PDB file of all heavy atoms in Angstrom:
ATOM      1  N   SER A 140      30.281-132.334-165.757  1.00  0.00           N
ATOM      2  CA  SER A 140      29.523-131.328-165.019  1.00  0.00           C
ATOM      3  C   SER A 140      29.850-131.455-163.547  1.00  0.00           C
ATOM      4  O   SER A 140      30.154-132.557-163.000  1.00  0.00           O
ATOM      5  CB  SER A 140      27.937-131.544-165.220  1.00  0.00           C
ATOM      6  OG  SER A 140      27.604-132.853-164.758  1.00  0.00           O
ATOM      7  N   TYR A 141      29.813-130.334-162.815  1.00  0.00           N
ATOM      8  CA  TYR A 141      30.107-130.386-161.428  1.00  0.00           C
ATOM      9  C   TYR A 141      29.393-129.231-160.714  1.00  0.00           C
ATOM     10  O   TYR A 141      29.077-128.218-161.381  1.00  0.00           O
ATOM     11  CB  TYR A 141      31.640-130.359-161.164  1.00  0.00           C
ATOM     12  CG  TYR A 141      32.289-129.070-161.605  1.00  0.00           C
ATOM     13  CD1 TYR A 141      32.430-127.991-160.700  1.00  0.00           C
ATOM     14  CD2 TYR A 141      32.877-128.941-162.807  1.00  0.00           C
ATOM     15  CE1 TYR A 141      33.055-126.788-161.129  1.00  0.00           C
ATOM     16  CE2 TYR A 141      33.518-127.769-163.182  1.00  0.00           C
ATOM     17  CZ  TYR A 141      33.599-126.682-162.328  1.00  0.00           C
ATOM     18  OH  TYR A 141      34.257-125.573-162.732  1.00  0.00           O
ATOM     19  N   SER A 142      29.179-129.421-159.486  1.00  0.00           N
ATOM     20  CA  SER A 142      28.564-128.344-158.647  1.00  0.00           C
ATOM     21  C   SER A 142      29.362-128.316-157.344  1.00  0.00           C
ATOM     22  O   SER A 142      29.941-129.249-156.882  1.00  0.00           O
ATOM     23  CB  SER A 142      27.115-128.705-158.289  1.00  0.00           C
ATOM     24  OG  SER A 142      26.976-129.883-157.533  1.00  0.00           O
ATOM     25  N   ILE A 143      29.425-127.063-156.771  1.00  0.00           N
ATOM     26  CA  ILE A 143      30.230-126.866-155.611  1.00  0.00           C
ATOM     27  C   ILE A 143      29.262-126.437-154.515  1.00  0.00           C
ATOM     28  O   ILE A 143      28.483-125.567-154.655  1.00  0.00           O
ATOM     29  CB  ILE A 143      31.230-125.672-155.849  1.00  0.00           C
ATOM     30  CG1 ILE A 143      32.331-126.171-156.845  1.00  0.00           C
ATOM     31  CG2 ILE A 143      31.916-125.356-154.449  1.00  0.00           C
ATOM     32  CD1 ILE A 143      33.310-125.070-157.158  1.00  0.00           C
ATOM     33  N   ASN A 144      29.309-127.227-153.422  1.00  0.00           N
ATOM     34  CA  ASN A 144      28.481-126.962-152.194  1.00  0.00           C
ATOM     35  C   ASN A 144      29.364-126.345-151.148  1.00  0.00           C
ATOM     36  O   ASN A 144      30.170-126.998-150.562  1.00  0.00           O
ATOM     37  CB  ASN A 144      27.906-128.202-151.663  1.00  0.00           C
ATOM     38  CG  ASN A 144      26.856-128.833-152.598  1.00  0.00           C
ATOM     39  OD1 ASN A 144      26.332-128.195-153.522  1.00  0.00           O
ATOM     40  ND2 ASN A 144      26.569-130.132-152.454  1.00  0.00           N
ATOM     41  N   PRO A 145      29.333-125.037-150.990  1.00  0.00           N
ATOM     42  CA  PRO A 145      30.213-124.351-150.112  1.00  0.00           C
ATOM     43  C   PRO A 145      29.762-124.559-148.698  1.00  0.00           C
ATOM     44  O   PRO A 145      28.588-124.708-148.395  1.00  0.00           O
ATOM     45  CB  PRO A 145      30.133-122.866-150.460  1.00  0.00           C
ATOM     46  CG  PRO A 145      28.792-122.716-151.121  1.00  0.00           C
ATOM     47  CD  PRO A 145      28.466-124.002-151.800  1.00  0.00           C
ATOM     48  N   THR A 146      30.722-124.481-147.733  1.00  0.00           N
ATOM     49  CA  THR A 146      30.393-124.557-146.308  1.00  0.00           C
ATOM     50  C   THR A 146      30.828-123.314-145.710  1.00  0.00           C
ATOM     51  O   THR A 146      31.372-123.219-144.644  1.00  0.00           O
ATOM     52  CB  THR A 146      31.203-125.723-145.676  1.00  0.00           C
ATOM     53  OG1 THR A 146      32.584-125.587-145.939  1.00  0.00           O
ATOM     54  CG2 THR A 146      30.701-127.031-146.112  1.00  0.00           C
ATOM     55  N   GLY A 147      30.648-122.173-146.404  1.00  0.00           N
ATOM     56  CA  GLY A 147      31.029-120.907-145.976  1.00  0.00           C
ATOM     57  C   GLY A 147      30.257-120.400-144.745  1.00  0.00           C
ATOM     58  O   GLY A 147      29.091-120.787-144.578  1.00  0.00           O
ATOM     59  N   ALA A 148      30.960-119.564-143.913  1.00  0.00           N
ATOM     60  CA  ALA A 148      30.197-119.102-142.751  1.00  0.00           C
ATOM     61  C   ALA A 148      29.498-117.793-143.082  1.00  0.00           C
ATOM     62  O   ALA A 148      28.576-117.348-142.268  1.00  0.00           O
ATOM     63  CB  ALA A 148      31.352-118.703-141.716  1.00  0.00           C
ATOM     64  N   TYR A 149      29.715-117.105-144.244  1.00  0.00           N
ATOM     65  CA  TYR A 149      29.023-115.844-144.494  1.00  0.00           C
ATOM     66  C   TYR A 149      28.429-115.900-145.937  1.00  0.00           C
ATOM     67  O   TYR A 149      28.942-116.512-146.756  1.00  0.00           O
ATOM     68  CB  TYR A 149      30.070-114.699-144.423  1.00  0.00           C
ATOM     69  CG  TYR A 149      30.832-114.711-143.182  1.00  0.00           C
ATOM     70  CD1 TYR A 149      32.223-115.219-143.119  1.00  0.00           C
ATOM     71  CD2 TYR A 149      30.244-114.268-141.963  1.00  0.00           C
ATOM     72  CE1 TYR A 149      32.915-115.291-141.912  1.00  0.00           C
ATOM     73  CE2 TYR A 149      30.956-114.308-140.752  1.00  0.00           C
ATOM     74  CZ  TYR A 149      32.308-114.748-140.776  1.00  0.00           C
ATOM     75  OH  TYR A 149      33.027-114.819-139.639  1.00  0.00           O
ATOM     76  N   LEU A 150      27.312-115.164-146.038  1.00  0.00           N
ATOM     77  CA  LEU A 150      26.634-115.116-147.335  1.00  0.00           C
ATOM     78  C   LEU A 150      27.347-114.504-148.411  1.00  0.00           C
ATOM     79  O   LEU A 150      27.286-114.931-149.577  1.00  0.00           O
ATOM     80  CB  LEU A 150      25.265-114.467-147.077  1.00  0.00           C
ATOM     81  CG  LEU A 150      24.250-115.074-146.300  1.00  0.00           C
ATOM     82  CD1 LEU A 150      23.007-114.219-146.154  1.00  0.00           C
ATOM     83  CD2 LEU A 150      23.785-116.454-146.918  1.00  0.00           C
ATOM     84  N   ASN A 151      28.226-113.521-148.174  1.00  0.00           N
ATOM     85  CA  ASN A 151      28.865-112.723-149.205  1.00  0.00           C
ATOM     86  C   ASN A 151      30.279-113.093-149.392  1.00  0.00           C
ATOM     87  O   ASN A 151      31.004-112.317-149.984  1.00  0.00           O
ATOM     88  CB  ASN A 151      28.728-111.298-148.937  1.00  0.00           C
ATOM     89  CG  ASN A 151      29.337-110.801-147.701  1.00  0.00           C
ATOM     90  OD1 ASN A 151      29.767-111.659-146.840  1.00  0.00           O
ATOM     91  ND2 ASN A 151      29.503-109.538-147.403  1.00  0.00           N
ATOM     92  N   GLU A 152      30.772-114.156-148.810  1.00  0.00           N
ATOM     93  CA  GLU A 152      32.283-114.461-148.807  1.00  0.00           C
ATOM     94  C   GLU A 152      32.700-114.902-150.175  1.00  0.00           C
ATOM     95  O   GLU A 152      33.839-114.995-150.455  1.00  0.00           O
ATOM     96  CB  GLU A 152      32.672-115.341-147.726  1.00  0.00           C
ATOM     97  CG  GLU A 152      32.164-116.825-147.916  1.00  0.00           C
ATOM     98  CD  GLU A 152      32.699-117.744-146.872  1.00  0.00           C
ATOM     99  OE1 GLU A 152      33.839-117.482-146.388  1.00  0.00           O
ATOM    100  OE2 GLU A 152      31.977-118.660-146.559  1.00  0.00           O
ATOM    101  N   ASN A 153      31.800-115.290-151.118  1.00  0.00           N
ATOM    102  CA  ASN A 153      32.121-115.751-152.395  1.00  0.00           C
ATOM    103  C   ASN A 153      31.991-114.673-153.556  1.00  0.00           C
ATOM    104  O   ASN A 153      31.878-114.973-154.584  1.00  0.00           O
ATOM    105  CB  ASN A 153      31.293-116.994-152.742  1.00  0.00           C
ATOM    106  CG  ASN A 153      31.582-118.201-151.888  1.00  0.00           C
ATOM    107  OD1 ASN A 153      32.746-118.485-151.637  1.00  0.00           O
ATOM    108  ND2 ASN A 153      30.498-118.836-151.416  1.00  0.00           N
TER     109      ASN A 153
END
Side-chain angles (χ1 to χ4, degrees):
S140 58
Y141 64 88
S142 61
I143 296 177
N144 295 337
T146 55
Y149 309 103
L150 289 177
N151 62 348
E152 67 176 329
N153 294 316

